[in-house]
Amino acid sequence: MNLACYSYLVAHTFVTFLFFIMNKQLRKSWDTSVKLLFNLGLEDRIPDHLLKLISATNKHRWRNEASDKYLGCEIHQFIDGELKLYHRIGSTNRVKKLNKAYFKLEDTLMLILNKVKAKKKLFNQHKDLIVNVIEQVKDNISIDRAIRMFGISRTTYQHYKSLVMSKCDRSMIYYCLRKYPQQLLKQEVKNIENYMNDEVYRYWSSSSVYAIALKENAVSCCLSTWYKYCNLLGLVSKKISKTTDYHPLVTFRPNQYWCADATRFVTNDGNKYWIHFLMDHYSRKILGFNVAKSPSKYAIKKLLEEAYKKYRPDKPLILLTDGGSENINNHVKQFLHQPNIHIIHRVAQKDETFSNSMIEAFNKTFKQEFLNPIVIKDKEMLIDIIPKLLETYNCIRPQYVLDCNTPNEVYEDNYITLNEHKAHFDEFRLYRKQQNNKNRCLICI
């Protein structure tokens, strides 16, 4: 071999080697999933821009590779089944839209329920969102199936829909006047707001505020309607439920039972005082009070003496107290044993089966609604302010349980029944319907 031939051979070999090295560096490996799609005959799922980069040789080889060529090839069967199911699901637009609609419902439901405990209250707050999503998917998912996912009835959904789709700007609560002609008039709703926001009644129970509004002819609706509008206006008061096995004392006339009890109150200077009260059980009227540094054995005796002299009961009565030493002592016994005093002392849950809950409930109410809202500096101010507060409690603040009368009106037998307060409801209900039907919004027309 001459020198020229040898040089050519060396040069050719070197160039071939360089080409091999460069080609190897530029070559890229394809993802296994791409190969699998070709092997399963699902290459139409690969985007077009990737298909153009794959050589015909690779395509042929991948299509014809044996399925058992690699270890773990059994998983191909599972993937093949899943991909075929996915292919069938997405083969028609209707099925695809149906699944998208279900997913949208589920996502909406989870979005709402993710951080909420009270589902019913939550759904009511998000009725706009619920109605909108159900209306969007109703062509693919029936309304009955959709509302089952939210756990609401068809009636509730229709109520939501009417509120969302037919908001009436002429109604204080945006209820359509045509669909809900029995709703309260604007002035009535404003009256509810004014009474509930009035500083004078701020710490009263909602039923007591309703009672005074009813007495002053500011509203013509029942208590349940009052509660409903308070809820809609964000003026909801707390509800106190009674246990079913509780049997309270029932009285039928004033001066049948008197109740006595003491409650502790701390003034702004940090001193603690005990306020003793004497109450007529039937009317809930406070007959007297006494402020002492501690539960006093003289306080109850003094209250009984003053009340008996002032109100002069014409029949024997029963004094109901708890078993505290301020109630059971020689001073109280000596007063009760006088020949002209006709009072029998009974201890609650000892001599009687029922408790002294009436005056205990008053103690809580009096502190929450009357004493706590005021900054009471010392004992002198406490003694000075209580008679004024009791005047409001006895003579001004009506109670729903007393047929919207005050304790003083009931005690003096100068009251009217609840039915008399409601006598004009039927007439006003017809008037309200007529006024609402005249005042229709653009949606109603």
Side-chain angles (χ1 to χ4, degrees):
M1 182 182 295
N2 57 27
L3 183 60
C5 291
Y6 180 78
S7 298
Y8 174 80
L9 181 62
V10 171
H12 183 270
T13 304
F14 180 74
V15 171
T16 304
F17 177 76
L18 286 177
F19 180 80
F20 173 78
I21 295 298
M22 292 176 65
N23 187 53
K24 188 173 183 181
Q25 290 178 345
L26 294 173
R27 183 186 178 194
K28 294 182 179 179
S29 298
W30 287 96
D31 190 274
T32 305
S33 59
V34 177
K35 301 177 184 179
L36 181 60
L37 287 173
F38 271 96
N39 189 257
L40 297 175
L42 299 173
E43 60 266 26
D44 58 330
R45 298 297 178 185
I46 302 174
D48 292 337
H49 71 279
L50 288 179
L51 281 173
K52 294 177 181 180
L53 299 176
I54 303 173
S55 64
T57 305
N58 283 341
K59 292 178 181 178
H60 176 76
R61 179 163 52 84
W62 293 340
R63 289 192 188 103
N64 296 283
E65 273 185 340
S67 59
D68 57 352
K69 179 179 178 181
Y70 304 102
L71 292 174
C73 60
E74 295 82 1
I75 200 172
H76 282 200
Q77 298 176 358
F78 171 75
I79 296 175
D80 185 24
E82 293 294 313
L83 290 174
K84 286 180 179 178
L85 177 61
Y86 172 75
H87 180 71
R88 291 187 65 184
I89 290 174
S91 60
T92 61
N93 288 332
R94 184 181 181 283
V95 176
K96 190 181 294 185
K97 288 181 179 179
L98 183 65
N99 282 280
K100 285 184 178 180
Y102 270 116
F103 292 144
K104 195 168 187 177
L105 279 175
E106 183 181 359
D107 292 341
T108 303
L109 181 61
M110 295 307 298
L111 177 66
I112 296 174
L113 292 179
N114 195 22
K115 296 182 179 180
V116 179
K117 296 180 180 178
K119 187 174 75 170
K120 185 177 180 181
K121 184 178 180 181
L122 176 69
F123 282 173
N124 188 53
Q125 293 173 349
H126 294 83
K127 52 181 172 285
D128 289 16
L129 184 60
I130 294 174
V131 171
N132 288 333
V133 72
I134 291 179
E135 289 298 311
Q136 289 175 19
V137 304
K138 68 180 181 181
D139 293 333
N140 300 304
I141 301 175
S142 67
I143 293 179
D144 289 333
R145 288 186 178 182
I147 63 177
R148 278 202 298 268
M149 295 183 66
F150 289 97
I152 59 178
S153 65
R154 187 62 182 258
T155 304
T156 301
Y157 175 73
Q158 290 301 131
H159 177 63
Y160 286 172
K161 185 177 178 180
S162 65
L163 297 180
V164 173
M165 300 297 186
S166 305
K167 286 186 177 180
C168 180
D169 56 353
R170 296 189 182 182
S171 168
M172 289 288 288
I173 55 176
Y174 301 105
Y175 282 21
C176 177
L177 294 172
R178 183 180 180 183
K179 293 182 178 179
Y180 301 95
Q182 292 290 356
Q183 64 181 282
L184 300 187
L185 301 178
K186 281 189 175 182
Q187 187 57 49
E188 292 180 284
V189 179
K190 288 181 180 179
N191 287 344
I192 293 176
E193 285 184 314
N194 293 337
Y195 273 88
M196 290 298 292
N197 292 325
D198 196 313
E199 286 295 322
V200 177
Y201 317 129
R202 182 178 178 184
Y203 299 98
W204 291 16
S205 66
S206 182
S207 61
S208 288
V209 181
Y210 165 78
I212 197 167
L214 185 63
K215 291 186 70 173
E216 295 176 358
N217 293 323
V219 293
S220 299
C221 62
C222 61
L223 181 61
S224 60
T225 303
W226 175 277
Y227 282 144
K228 176 183 177 180
Y229 277 80
C230 286
N231 186 25
L232 291 171
L233 297 171
L235 304 169
V236 183
S237 61
K238 62 181 180 179
K239 298 179 181 179
I240 302 175
S241 58
K242 295 182 179 179
T243 55
T244 56
D245 58 344
Y246 176 68
H247 301 286
L249 170 64
V250 178
T251 49
F252 303 96
R253 59 175 176 82
N255 299 327
Q256 182 181 355
Y257 270 82
W258 284 0
C259 305
D261 194 28
T263 185
R264 189 180 67 170
F265 183 77
V266 181
T267 54
N268 204 43
D269 58 6
N271 291 320
K272 302 175 184 177
Y273 299 98
W274 288 84
I275 310 174
H276 301 75
F277 289 109
L278 182 66
M279 169 190 277
D280 175 65
H281 187 276
Y282 176 75
S283 65
R284 305 188 180 202
K285 179 179 180 177
I286 299 301
L287 306 176
F289 80 97
N290 182 278
V291 178
K293 190 67 178 177
S294 61
S296 172
K297 59 184 179 180
Y298 303 103
I300 299 299
K301 184 253 183 182
K302 184 178 179 181
L303 287 177
L304 288 170
E305 188 175 13
E306 292 176 352
Y308 204 84
K309 181 179 179 180
K310 180 178 181 180
Y311 297 104
R312 298 185 179 278
D314 55 355
K315 295 181 181 180
L317 61 86
I318 296 175
L319 172 66
L320 184 67
T321 68
D322 57 28
S325 59
E326 71 276 12
N327 302 314
I328 303 175
N329 55 70
N330 290 330
H331 296 278
V332 174
K333 288 181 180 179
Q334 288 175 5
F335 172 76
L336 297 179
H337 288 164
Q338 295 181 45
N340 59 333
I341 302 298
H342 305 289
I343 301 177
I344 302 172
H345 190 189
R346 290 283 186 269
V347 177
Q349 295 182 330
K350 180 181 178 182
D351 301 324
E352 303 282 3
T353 57
F354 32 76
S355 66
N356 201 17
S357 58
M358 179 73 75
I359 194 168
E360 290 170 355
F362 162 79
N363 289 337
K364 181 179 179 181
T365 299
F366 191 72
K367 286 193 289 187
Q368 287 184 346
E369 297 186 14
F370 293 88
L371 292 177
N372 290 343
I374 304 172
V375 178
I376 300 177
K377 298 179 181 180
D378 48 30
K379 181 180 180 181
E380 288 71 21
M381 184 177 179
L382 179 63
I383 296 174
D384 181 63
I385 198 69
I386 288 180
K388 301 174 184 178
L389 299 178
L390 288 179
E391 177 71 17
T392 300
Y393 172 82
N394 282 334
C395 304
I396 301 175
R397 176 184 179 270
Q399 299 185 35
Y400 185 77
V401 295
L402 299 178
D403 282 356
C404 298
N405 294 284
T406 63
N408 196 59
E409 289 172 335
V410 176
Y411 185 82
E412 295 180 356
D413 198 20
N414 182 27
Y415 65 94
I416 60 176
T417 64
L418 187 61
N419 288 333
E420 292 178 84
H421 285 298
K422 296 181 176 181
H424 65 289
F425 277 18
D426 291 336
E427 180 181 351
F428 202 85
R429 191 177 293 112
L430 294 174
Y431 170 74
R432 182 188 301 135
K433 186 175 181 179
Q434 292 172 357
Q435 293 301 311
N436 284 332
N437 282 327
K438 291 178 183 179
N439 192 21
R440 295 183 178 181
C441 62
L442 296 177
I443 297 174
C444 299
I445 298 171

